[in-house]
Amino acid sequence: MRMHRILAHAATDIIKSVFHEHKVLDRCLAQAFEANPKWGKRDRSFIAETCFEVVRWRRALSFLADSEDVEALCAAQWGRMGYELPDWWTYHGASADEMTSREAELPQQARAIRESIPDWLDVLGSEELGASWDSELAALNQRTRVYLRVNTLKTSRLAAQEWLASQNIVTEEVSHLPDALALMPGKTLAKKFRMDGRVEIQDGGSQMIAPLLAPQAGECIIDTCAGAGGKSLHLASLMQNQGRIIAMDVVPRKLRELEKRAQRAHPKHCIETHRIDAQTIVQYKEVADRLLIDAPCSGLGTLKRQPDLKWRLQPETINKVRAIQAEILSDYSSMLKPGGRLVYATCSVLPSENHANTARLLEQAGFRLVEEHTISPATCGYDGFYAAVLTKI
């Protein structure tokens, strides 16, 4: 297969900004595609695959190329993709033939190298997950499919599937997720369909969280860490837009995006937004019938979609989020009425961010554990999630 010089250099520039400037890969790609509207579908696909796979397999590719230079890593990845390296591509590292031969040696390398993660993260994962860390880590390095949640306020799953099919977008129903559709492997959803309001991009694991609240029409539900609102929108759909959903976050920009999405999902929606602070917690004390705390976390369960995250994380980051989670659980839980239902969730696979926080809340008394769920990437193929369901005594 033939490579184009401009596209090859564009990919390396993006990768360097991720590795050296700690930028977010998704955003870098979006900015590059917006700045170069003449790039076709194949061009964008080549750049995206190069960037994601080089970032995902950074250490493994470094072993193959015997170099840490981005140009050498790209050369190793293009070999894996079936490209013959052009004469104009120069780099410092092993030759193409040497890289191919070193593939056979890769399985014998240390796990942190062959699975391409920082040493400290490999140690942490092994300490916390034991023997299951191998399978979870391998699963987190697999490419994920794009999952859609059908907005049942606007359409049904069958109607949404037929609409997408009319636009040459093939989807599959997901049997145990009643509102979910999956795109074919390697396919993405164009912006005009994302902006339509009939479907939302939402991972299968994420779609399991809102139903655990068992929301009922007419209730008041508070989503304390709503972000851009994926779970708030899901809750509104489950409640058939009947009731009150108070979506809170510390970042106003995220709430503004949530408001736009809610307007697309249903013009007359039941979601209101509120920036959360200490005064908010007092103002809404014992107001919520049901409370969702989808807490800030390491995000390690999302490495399938965000492989760049593992290079930005630091040990102190993990320690910081653990402290934030404990504080949030202790403070925000006061907004729940006695007898109300609380769901604490993270998109992390680390027990120290998950069960440990649930156990700490239970030690304070006032709550009873109903059930716990661990959504394992190795088992289901989705992002890694954790959710604990509790009731307030």
Side-chain angles (χ1 to χ4, degrees):
M1 290 187 288
R2 182 172 172 236
M3 284 199 317
H4 296 280
R5 188 192 299 256
I6 291 175
L7 302 181
H9 285 293
T12 57
D13 287 344
I14 292 170
I15 294 165
K16 288 176 182 178
S17 69
V18 171
F19 286 166
H20 306 321
E21 301 173 41
H22 309 294
K23 291 187 177 180
V24 177
L25 176 55
D26 270 338
R27 294 177 191 166
C28 291
L29 283 170
Q31 290 166 359
F33 294 161
E34 185 176 355
N36 296 275
K38 291 185 178 181
W39 286 346
K41 186 177 180 180
R42 288 186 179 180
D43 300 334
R44 295 193 299 273
S45 178
F46 169 81
I47 291 173
E49 182 176 2
T50 297
C51 292
F52 266 97
E53 296 310 294
V54 169
V55 170
R56 191 186 312 279
W57 296 109
R58 181 182 188 175
R59 293 193 73 180
L61 294 173
S62 178
F63 169 78
L64 297 180
D66 194 24
S67 172
E68 295 185 359
D69 290 347
V70 169
E71 288 79 6
L73 303 185
C74 287
Q77 176 57 33
W78 290 329
R80 285 181 159 187
M81 291 165 63
Y83 286 93
E84 183 176 342
L85 291 178
D87 294 338
W88 47 259
W89 190 255
T90 58
Y91 63 93
H92 300 288
S95 69
D97 289 341
E98 290 171 332
M99 287 188 279
T100 300
S101 67
R102 288 168 72 90
E103 282 278 6
E105 303 172 30
L106 185 57
Q108 283 72 54
Q109 302 307 304
R111 180 175 53 201
I113 294 175
R114 67 176 188 268
E115 295 292 355
S116 195
I117 57 170
D119 289 330
W120 71 267
L121 185 53
D122 186 41
V123 171
L124 178 62
S126 181
E127 289 175 349
E128 294 215 17
L129 292 172
S132 66
W133 177 234
D134 275 308
S135 58
E136 295 295 356
L137 183 54
L140 287 169
N141 268 330
Q142 299 303 307
R143 301 184 198 181
T144 186
R145 298 174 72 174
V146 173
Y147 291 89
L148 310 177
R149 181 183 57 78
V150 175
N151 175 18
T152 55
L153 295 176
K154 276 195 165 185
T155 188
S156 66
R157 179 159 73 170
L158 177 59
Q161 191 171 30
E162 291 175 345
W163 164 61
L164 291 169
S166 72
Q167 304 297 319
N168 298 317
I169 301 171
V170 180
T171 60
E172 292 179 341
E173 292 186 356
V174 183
S175 59
H176 57 286
L177 295 174
D179 301 329
L181 294 171
L183 297 185
M184 296 298 100
K187 299 297 182 180
T188 58
L189 192 67
K191 184 176 181 180
K192 65 178 180 180
F193 301 112
R194 300 197 303 268
M195 301 293 287
D196 179 86
R198 278 179 272 189
V199 295
E200 296 279 346
I201 293 179
Q202 187 173 9
D203 183 75
S206 178
Q207 291 190 46
M208 295 181 179
I209 304 302
L212 294 175
L213 275 172
Q216 304 298 311
E219 291 183 329
C220 175
I221 298 179
I222 296 180
D223 182 357
T224 60
C225 306
K231 296 181 182 66
S232 290
L233 293 172
H234 195 182
L235 287 167
S237 183
L238 292 171
M239 295 171 68
Q240 289 299 300
N241 210 24
Q242 298 175 29
R244 184 187 184 197
I245 297 174
I246 307 170
M248 300 180 177
D249 203 277
V250 295
V251 182
R253 171 182 51 80
K254 293 182 179 180
L255 295 178
R256 289 193 293 271
E257 178 61 25
L258 189 160
E259 290 167 357
K260 294 176 184 176
R261 294 176 69 189
Q263 187 66 26
R264 290 197 299 267
H266 202 281
K268 295 183 179 179
H269 54 80
C270 64
I271 299 173
E272 56 189 86
T273 60
H274 201 299
R275 186 177 184 276
I276 193 168
D277 54 25
Q279 186 176 352
T280 307
I281 298 170
V282 174
Q283 178 184 350
Y284 286 91
K285 183 177 181 180
E286 296 188 353
V287 167
D289 296 296
R290 300 175 194 266
L291 186 72
L292 174 60
I293 301 179
D294 184 16
C297 67
S298 66
L300 284 173
T302 69
L303 293 182
K304 284 173 172 283
R305 292 183 293 105
Q306 301 184 97
D308 49 313
L309 179 62
K310 58 189 172 185
W311 309 119
R312 293 198 306 273
L313 281 174
Q314 298 294 330
E316 54 267 26
T317 309
I318 306 290
N319 293 330
K320 183 178 179 180
V321 296
R322 288 175 185 144
I324 292 172
Q325 290 159 354
E327 182 180 359
I328 283 176
L329 259 179
S330 178
D331 293 347
Y332 291 8
S333 58
S334 65
M335 292 187 280
L336 185 65
K337 292 178 180 177
R341 188 177 180 95
L342 164 67
V343 170
Y344 167 68
T346 77
C347 53
S348 174
V349 296
L350 298 179
S352 62
E353 296 185 71
N354 298 334
H355 175 77
N357 282 318
T358 299
R360 189 178 296 109
L361 182 64
L362 292 170
E363 288 173 358
Q364 298 175 9
F367 283 89
R368 178 177 64 84
L369 180 65
V370 178
E371 57 191 17
E372 283 183 288
H373 298 268
T374 298
I375 302 170
S376 160
T379 301
C380 64
Y382 303 142
D383 287 351
F385 273 89
Y386 166 86
V389 182
L390 306 101
T391 56
K392 192 171 187 177
I393 301 170

